[in-house]
Amino acid sequence: MRALILNSGIGKRMGELTKTKNKCMAEIGENTTIIDWQLQMLLKAGVSDVVITTGPFAEHLQEYVTGKYPQIAFTFCYNAEYDRTNYIYSIALAADVLDDDILLMHGDLVFEESVITDVLNAQTSVMVIDKSLPLPEKDFKAVVQDNTITKVGIEFFEQAYAAQPLYKLLKKDWSLWLANILKFCREDKRSVYAENALNEISGQLDVLPLDVDGRICMEVDNLEDLERARSLFEKM
C-alpha cells in the first residue's frame, strides 16, 4: 500500500497564510500541521511509503517532512505548472511510482484515526462519504447507485452524498483510473479534476462508498475551515 498526498495547489482561498507556505503547513494544533497529522495517522496505520505531489514552496515542504519523519520512504513529484493545471496533471507526473494499491488523499484533509483505519481495512476500493451531512453547494459529492460510486464532482445532486477526497484504490481499479488520467493529460485536459477521468470510466470500476457517519473527515479550504479544524482537533 502506497499513500499519495496531493499538495501541488496554490491554496488561494487561505489568504495571507498561503503566501509564504503550503496550505498543508497550516497548524491545526500545537506544533501539529495538517501534514503532520496525516503522516502520523499513516504511520499508526502501518503505511510508511508516501508519494507527495508538490507545487509552491516544494523545497520547504520536502525538507520539513523528511527531517521530521525519517522512518517514512518519501517520493516527491514536482508540478512546475502548478499555477495553471489541476491535480490531475500532478497525478500524471507521478504515474511511474503509482503502481500499487493506493491510498489517495488531498493534502488539506483532516480526519480522525478511526476513519483512516476503516478506509485501509476495506476489502474493496472505497471513497469516503457522509450521509449525515447536507449536500454542499460547491464541494465534492458522490453519486451512489447500487452501492457503487458512479460519479464524483461538485455538480451532482441527485442520488448523491457529501464526499471527501479520501480513497483506497485497489490496483485493478487504480490502474484503469490512472490510465484515463494520463489520456486526459495527453489531450491537454489538465485543468479539470482527476474525478472527471474517473467519471468517464466509472462503469469499469468497483469503488464503493464508505460512510463515516458524522466522524471527522474534512477539507480545509479556507480560514473558516481552518478554525473549525482546530476546534475539532482539540477533541480528537
Side-chain angles (χ1 to χ4, degrees):
M1 172 64 63
R2 182 168 293 154
L4 170 61
I5 306 177
L6 304 176
N7 268 315
S8 51
I10 298 174
K12 59 184 177 182
R13 292 165 65 185
M14 297 292 285
E16 293 295 318
L17 189 147
T18 48
K19 288 187 177 180
T20 57
K21 60 185 177 183
N22 192 282
K23 180 163 60 167
C24 72
M25 295 294 290
E27 288 195 351
I28 56 172
E30 186 175 357
N31 299 318
T32 303
T33 63
I34 296 172
I35 190 69
D36 280 321
W37 182 253
Q38 291 179 339
L39 295 176
Q40 289 165 16
M41 291 297 97
L42 289 176
L43 284 172
K44 278 190 174 184
V47 178
S48 58
D49 188 349
V50 178
V51 179
I52 298 180
T53 68
T54 61
F57 314 110
E59 186 175 334
H60 177 238
L61 175 58
Q62 183 170 335
E63 289 178 353
Y64 180 84
V65 297
T66 54
K68 198 166 182 179
Y69 301 96
Q71 66 273 55
I72 295 179
F74 287 107
T75 303
F76 299 94
C77 296
Y78 176 62
N79 179 1
E81 300 180 52
Y82 63 82
D83 57 344
R84 54 188 181 276
T85 60
N86 209 329
Y87 57 82
I88 188 171
Y89 185 54
S90 299
I91 294 173
L93 293 174
D96 288 348
V97 294
L98 299 176
D99 57 347
D100 199 349
D101 294 347
I102 294 293
L103 178 69
L104 169 62
M105 70 180 73
H106 286 200
D108 60 357
L109 202 65
V110 176
F111 44 81
E112 59 185 274
E113 185 175 354
S114 67
V115 169
I116 199 71
T117 299
D118 286 355
V119 169
L120 287 169
N121 286 341
Q123 298 302 302
T124 64
S125 297
V126 294
M127 180 189 189
V128 164
I129 66 165
D130 193 336
K131 293 182 179 180
S132 73
L133 296 178
L135 289 180
E137 282 293 322
K138 298 180 180 180
D139 294 323
F140 269 172
K141 294 164 284 289
V143 177
V144 179
Q145 297 174 315
D146 297 325
N147 198 39
T148 302
I149 289 179
T150 58
K151 302 288 181 185
V152 178
I154 63 174
E155 69 270 37
F156 304 114
F157 289 87
E158 298 296 324
Q159 294 182 277
Y161 299 98
Q164 293 295 347
L166 176 59
Y167 302 83
K168 176 184 177 179
L169 295 154
L170 301 182
K171 187 175 180 179
K172 67 181 182 66
D173 294 315
W174 172 242
S175 61
L176 291 171
W177 186 8
L178 181 58
N180 214 37
I181 285 172
L182 293 171
K183 177 176 175 286
F184 265 53
C185 290
R186 286 195 300 271
E187 295 171 351
D188 204 28
K189 300 175 186 175
R190 302 186 302 166
S191 59
V192 300
Y193 295 121
E195 283 74 10
N196 288 65
L198 170 67
N199 294 342
E200 190 175 82
I201 59 165
S202 62
Q204 302 174 43
L205 311 181
D206 294 306
V207 182
L208 276 57
L210 191 152
D211 184 11
V212 297
D213 192 23
R215 287 178 291 169
I216 298 168
C217 186
M218 62 172 289
E219 280 191 290
V220 178
D221 286 325
N222 51 47
L223 294 176
E224 182 180 349
D225 288 343
L226 181 59
E227 287 307 311
R228 178 168 172 256
R230 287 170 173 166
S231 176
L232 292 171
F233 181 77
E234 293 177 358
K235 302 173 185 177
M236 285 195 282

